[in-house]
């Protein structure tokens, strides 16, 4: 029963062990020598201006959420493409799958155009 998942579980175990090992090694091997310059926040080589806890515009969060929505759309396209390539699920043809995905993309396109026309993607 676990046979089909054995390679995935082994890979997952190796990835977690590698991540934990690298973090542990970085804390054990390095010597910490803090200086006032090293303790300053770093922002692309520029000295920080203002407070680090400054409020962001709501548009920043809106763009972030839009990115997540359209990223999820892309993730949904991969399983659909696999099923479409194999000729569809039993009982459904590829024509149905094509129409289904076109409706999905059309709904997302309408949402994207709405957000674009509302000016949510304009960065001031």
């Amino acid at each position: 029963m676990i046979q089909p998942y054995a390679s995935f579980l082994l890979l997952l175990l190796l990835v977690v062990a590698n991540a934990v090992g690298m973090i542990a090694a970085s804390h054990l091997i390095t010597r910490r020598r803090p200086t006032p310059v090293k303790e300053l926040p770093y922002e692309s080589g520029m000295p920080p201006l203002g407070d680090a806890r400054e409020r962001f515009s709501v548009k920043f969060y809106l763009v972030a959420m839009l990115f997540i929505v359209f990223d999820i759309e892309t993730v949904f396209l991969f399983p659909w493409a696999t099923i479409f390539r194999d000729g569809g699920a039993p009982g459904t043809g590829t024509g149905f799958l094509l129409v289904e995905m076109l409706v999905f993309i059309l709904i997302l396109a309408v949402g994207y155009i709405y957000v674009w026309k509302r000016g949510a993607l304009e960065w001031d």
Side-chain angles (χ1 to χ4, degrees), residues 5-19:
Y5 302 106
S7 59
F8 174 73
L9 292 175
L10 181 63
L11 178 65
L12 183 66
L13 179 69
L14 289 174
V15 167
V16 170
N18 187 30

Side-chain angles (χ1 to χ4, degrees), residues 42-91:
Y42 181 76
E43 186 66 37
S44 302
M46 301 293 294
L49 302 173
D51 187 23
R53 289 164 186 81
E54 175 180 326
R55 289 183 177 252
F56 287 102
S57 171
V58 174
K59 285 188 177 187
F60 174 79
Y61 297 106
L62 183 62
V63 169
M65 286 189 295
L66 285 172
F67 173 76
I68 290 171
V69 166
F70 289 109
D71 192 44
I72 290 172
E73 171 202 356
T74 306
V75 170
F76 282 143
L77 286 174
F78 285 109
W80 172 84
T82 304
I83 294 171
F84 186 76
R85 183 189 62 195
D86 293 340

